Amino acid sequence: MSSSSLTLVVFTLALAFATLSHQCHGGEVPLQVGYYRGKCRLADVEAIVGGVVKAWYKRDPTIPAALLRMQFHDCFVNGCDASILLDGSSSEKTAVPNLSVRGYEIIDAAKSAVEAICPGVVSCADIIVMATRDAVALGGGGRYIVQTGRRDGTVSLAKNVDLPSPSISVSDSIKAFARKGLNATDMVYLLGGHTVGVTHCSLIMDRLYNFQNTGKPDPTMDSSLLAALRQRCPRNASVDSSVDLDQNPLSSMIVDNSYYRQIVRNRGILKFDQDLALDPLSKPTVGAIANGFDFSTRFGQAMIKLGTVDVLTGKQGQIRSSCRAINKPSK
């Protein structure tokens, strides 16, 4: 199968993988493939969530990027506990890096669908992971098998949001991922989410016109890309236009390895993306992905691993009735 194919692939995982070990906040109950099987009578929870996501995707094919970003921003702060979904004047949603996170309505819709059939059983944290998997598959990536059994967190504070900065170095990014139990290879694959991502002109103007206060563009940028971006992002523009992180127009909406093929040709949009292809710590992995044929499989594996970061299981946390608010104490 070509890496840009829209064919959905279902990976067969060994039974041992069904209970992949995970980091947690002191819990001993492992995540499982098919955790909800039999817990909602005959209802297939994953199919219900998948149906909601498919309906949204038909209206908005950009949701793979939105949900990939949501899961990353949730799991990287306080673990995969759906704390990013909680409303509040000082919740994680209000932190600057999260102001542009979107897709909350998709999670709300999926939650409403499962609550109507199986109230009080399915966590919002699991819905994020299931919905993201479904969106990735709809966007042309492989359909990886998700583990479930997470519980929802009850704390969401903007001050806890400490996501890697766009200006971070590759070495510091590797350290940040390592603190979450993710290695350098995991990091490079997870950044493959940029294959369907976008940024805005305001975040790359320095690379186009005044790189590191030299008065010149970033010398690592491909000259034809530079010319095209300067047309899209002129100085003193009144509109902050969007820019695809994957500059292959045939692939910018497909979850594939095209992003890596672009950055090895010095066609990275963000400085960090270009650094990823140039830094000796990540260059070999980037090159292997760009020239390989197993991106869908390896990306799925990295997403599964991301979904195990600091999860709540067993009797920890709660199963929220609404993903936007913690449950009210019972009287």
Side-chain angles (χ1 to χ4, degrees):
M1 182 187 74
S2 68
S3 60
S4 62
S5 172
L6 281 171
T7 303
L8 302 183
V9 179
V10 179
F11 303 119
T12 303
L13 301 181
L15 180 61
F17 193 60
T19 54
L20 179 73
S21 61
H22 63 278
Q23 303 175 74
C24 58
H25 294 297
E28 299 298 331
V29 181
L31 298 177
Q32 304 170 35
V33 170
Y35 173 82
Y36 293 110
R37 196 173 296 127
K39 290 182 171 62
C40 294
R41 297 183 294 279
L42 299 178
D44 184 337
V45 168
E46 293 190 29
I48 294 169
V49 173
V52 171
V53 175
K54 186 175 183 179
W56 277 83
Y57 180 81
K58 287 180 178 178
R59 299 194 299 269
D60 180 6
T62 71
I63 66 168
L67 293 179
L68 280 166
R69 189 159 181 248
M70 178 188 287
Q71 183 179 337
F72 181 78
H73 282 223
D74 183 46
C75 293
F76 235 72
V77 179
N78 216 39
C80 306
D81 66 348
S83 53
I84 195 171
L85 302 180
L86 290 171
D87 289 336
S89 59
S90 60
S91 71
E92 290 176 27
K93 281 182 178 178
T94 68
V96 171
N98 289 336
L99 294 177
S100 56
V101 171
R102 60 191 180 89
Y104 298 115
E105 297 84 359
I106 304 169
I107 305 302
D108 289 340
K111 177 65 170 175
S112 295
V114 295
E115 286 293 299
I117 295 172
C118 189
V121 174
V122 182
S123 70
C124 301
D126 278 342
I127 290 174
I128 291 176
V129 171
M130 289 186 279
T132 301
R133 180 273 307 274
D134 294 329
V136 167
L138 289 165
R143 183 178 173 82
Y144 51 93
I145 295 176
V146 296
Q147 301 167 297
T148 43
R150 296 167 191 79
R151 305 266 291 180
D152 297 324
T154 57
V155 176
S156 181
L157 297 171
K159 67 180 182 181
N160 291 341
V161 176
D162 184 22
L163 293 159
S165 163
S167 60
I168 196 171
S169 67
V170 171
S171 60
D172 283 346
S173 183
I174 289 172
K175 292 173 186 175
F177 275 74
R179 288 193 289 271
K180 304 299 179 182
L182 301 164
N183 61 37
T185 300
D186 297 327
M187 178 194 79
V188 176
Y189 273 101
L190 290 170
L191 285 164
H194 284 186
T195 193
V196 288
V198 298
T199 188
H200 287 85
C201 290
S202 58
L203 297 177
I204 60 171
M205 293 300 280
D206 60 328
R207 294 195 72 207
L208 303 184
Y209 298 102
N210 188 27
F211 184 64
Q212 296 180 350
N213 294 318
T214 60
K216 299 178 181 179
D218 185 339
T220 67
M221 184 177 286
D222 172 76
S223 59
S224 62
L225 175 64
L226 174 63
L229 290 178
R230 281 182 161 181
Q231 280 196 328
R232 185 160 183 82
C233 305
R235 291 182 190 264
N236 305 315
S238 58
V239 176
D240 192 11
S241 298
S242 62
V243 179
D244 290 333
L245 296 182
D246 177 359
Q247 281 291 297
N248 177 356
L250 300 177
S251 182
S252 60
M253 299 281 282
I254 300 173
V255 181
D256 61 8
N257 68 339
S258 177
Y259 155 80
Y260 302 94
R261 296 200 302 268
Q262 293 292 309
I263 63 177
V264 297
R265 294 168 53 203
N266 289 341
R267 293 177 61 83
I269 299 301
L270 300 176
K271 181 179 182 297
F272 181 81
D273 288 347
Q274 194 55 64
D275 289 347
L276 204 65
L278 297 173
D279 193 297
L281 294 172
S282 50
K283 182 177 180 179
T285 304
V286 170
I289 300 172
N291 296 311
F293 299 95
D294 63 346
F295 171 74
S296 289
T297 304
R298 299 292 299 275
F299 181 70
Q301 291 169 349
M303 288 299 297
I304 293 168
K305 192 170 179 182
L306 174 65
T308 68
V309 172
D310 293 335
V311 295
L312 301 173
T313 58
K315 295 182 179 180
Q316 299 171 322
Q318 60 182 215
I319 303 296
R320 288 184 215 140
S321 298
S322 163
C323 291
R324 294 176 178 264
I326 60 174
N327 297 339
K328 294 179 180 178
S330 54
K331 295 181 180 179

